[in-house]
Amino acid sequence: MIVRRSYASFALSTPSFYNPAVATSKIFSACPFGIEARLVTVEVDLRRRGLPAFIIVGLPDQATREARERVASAIRNGGLEFPSAKITVNLAPAHFKKEGTELDLPIACGILAQSEPVNAERWENIFSRFLFVGELSLDGALRGVRGTLAMASAARSGGFQGLICPWVNREEAALVEGIEVLPCRNLNEVSDWAAGRGELEPYRLADDYWQRRLQEEAPQQGAAVDFAEIQGNALAKKALEVAAAGGHHALLIGPPGVGKTLLARATQALLPPLTPEESSELTRIYSIGAYTGTFAVVGRRPFRNPHHTASDIALIGGGPQAVPGEITLAHRGVLFLDEMGEFSRPVLEALRQPLEDGQVTVSRAAAKFRYPARFLLIGAANPCPCGYFGSGEKECRCPPGQVLRYRQKFSGPIMDRMDVQVQVSAQEFRKGVAAATAPPQAEATALIRERVWSARAAQQRRLSGRLNSEMTLQEIKTYCKMAKSEEDFLRRVMEHHRLSPRAYHKILKVARTLADLAGREMISASDLSLAVEMRCLERALAAAV
């Protein structure tokens, strides 16, 4: 006979002295989410009755689930007590996936808090005031974790007093002001501090930290190729000077071996040092994926040079974990697309929106991630597949149809977004070589850099920290004033080349940058004509096919 009993009757029949011996700890941590971090509550439930077990719930990924082995070994090898009990760890909220190893430390601390009932009150007090992040090795040492800067920001936003983090992440976490950063080398240091048997010294950046960082980066700027060493191609050099000064995207077209790549690499040395705010922004981006190989503060502007076989996801960002792509890793720096004509058309078309907006949105089923992408794009391409179309050096052997298919990779919208378009020729290079015995005519990088920095400072004062390439339509009307003759000239150019309204505004922005480089308030006729010369290469090439 089967006897059915209700839950209420079962509860009433349970002896009054029944004690499940349950203890629960609640620790706060964080997990990376895009380039930000989300707060996570780590709840550790310990039952000393029943068979021993270690369960982690709350949508952990494989790396987080493997914390069971790391935590147990770290506690035992550190000479601490690992309880023989059924341990259930809940990662709340449970609706989003927890990825990474940063939850090892809070899980271990939650277990240790139950092993020392005498200090339980002190443990709980600390748990409520600090955020815990860190990966444990099997011997109890704390390894660095990605996204520490974002987690420190989440701790400050969440109202926590401070952050407990691995020692190698101390400098990155200290970039966030308003919270205590307590770095630790191993689990025993955290346990002794929480139990009142030791102290953790807060880490702070030195007052001259940013000054020293700038001094460290100064020699690296001089290590780049100097413009004085590159012979000829004065127009291409001026175009890259304008690009660096105003944040204008540039395209260099020319036959192989004439110095396109060399010019692009030399441009990096023209950019000013990072500000503390820009360095923190870049450190947050690079820390999320640990792209630097170390857990260090990013101190110089990035120069990204992806291979032409890169996919659209590699360039824009995405994938299963929605990681930032090359355009985000190039934020506040240079994205150099060498052999731009060899990139697939879908990859180049994916650049349309980021080039215009300075950011990219990566959408996934679970969430949307918005990544910054304010970079300087420099493209280098051959005029045709063989590289010698219209060069006058060698005969082009490409059939006309093949040249057209090659050019079709550069769609109208993409070319419209390239503010500066110039041709790099071998004749100019030979002229420079022929004049090599004479006193050097080319300007050194140091002189060009001085003009670029001065022009950038003028733009940032005028546009509240922005560059000319970011001007709005209203700002173009306000700051790109010209005489009547210059307006008529530009109108004739528009009609002759059939330029789009976007191209019209791009020409005005470039002319404004040329005036800033010369220290002029008004745009002159020479500024406007040079801006047009740097813009209409694509039309001339198309007409020559």
Side-chain angles (χ1 to χ4, degrees), residues 111-130:
I111 294 173
L112 291 175
Q114 307 305 326
S115 303
E116 297 188 16
V118 176
N119 295 314
E121 220 174 286
R122 177 180 171 85
W123 279 94
E124 293 298 331
N125 182 38
I126 288 174
F127 289 162
S128 64
R129 295 186 293 117
F130 289 88

Side-chain angles (χ1 to χ4, degrees), residues 219-354:
Q220 297 181 13
Q221 289 182 343
V225 180
D226 198 293
F227 273 93
E229 301 171 0
I230 305 174
Q231 302 296 336
N233 287 305
L235 180 61
K237 291 179 182 178
K238 189 63 178 179
L240 292 178
E241 177 185 344
V242 171
H248 304 287
H249 306 304
L251 176 62
L252 307 178
I253 296 181
V258 295
K260 301 187 297 293
T261 301
L262 204 61
L263 286 165
R265 292 189 180 278
T267 307
Q268 184 185 18
L270 300 180
L271 301 178
L274 289 171
T275 64
E277 294 77 15
E278 290 172 336
S279 178
S280 297
E281 189 177 20
L282 281 170
T283 301
R284 180 191 296 267
I285 294 170
Y286 277 74
S287 173
I288 286 295
Y291 292 101
T292 58
T294 60
F295 299 98
V297 174
V298 178
R300 64 183 309 187
R301 295 187 183 275
F303 184 91
R304 305 294 300 185
N305 183 14
H307 194 260
H308 62 262
T309 57
S311 65
D312 54 348
I313 291 179
L315 200 66
I316 302 300
Q321 297 180 343
V323 296
E326 289 290 338
I327 62 173
T328 300
L329 299 179
H331 183 59
R332 303 297 182 187
V334 176
L335 176 66
F336 177 45
L337 299 186
D338 202 3
E339 303 296 342
M340 191 171 174
E342 299 300 328
F343 282 80
S344 67
R345 176 158 179 163
V347 171
L348 295 179
E349 292 302 305
L351 291 172
R352 287 191 189 185
Q353 181 256 338

Side-chain angles (χ1 to χ4, degrees), residues 16 46 68 97 112 125 142 214 259 281 303 329 333 384 481:
S16 60
L46 192 146
R68 297 173 299 186
K97 196 169 187 178
L112 291 175
N125 182 38
L142 279 174
L214 294 180
E281 189 177 20
F303 184 91
L329 299 179
C384 68
K481 295 179 179 178

Side-chain angles (χ1 to χ4, degrees), residues 168-191:
V168 296
N169 294 124
R170 65 193 185 282
E171 187 174 319
E172 179 185 341
L175 293 176
V176 179
E177 299 179 353
I179 62 167
E180 290 183 16
V181 176
L182 303 181
C184 307
R185 291 182 173 85
N186 52 61
L187 180 60
N188 290 72
E189 287 186 4
V190 181
S191 175

Side-chain angles (χ1 to χ4, degrees), residues 103 132 198 222 229 359 476:
L103 299 178
F132 290 73
E229 301 171 0
Q359 62 182 11
I476 291 174

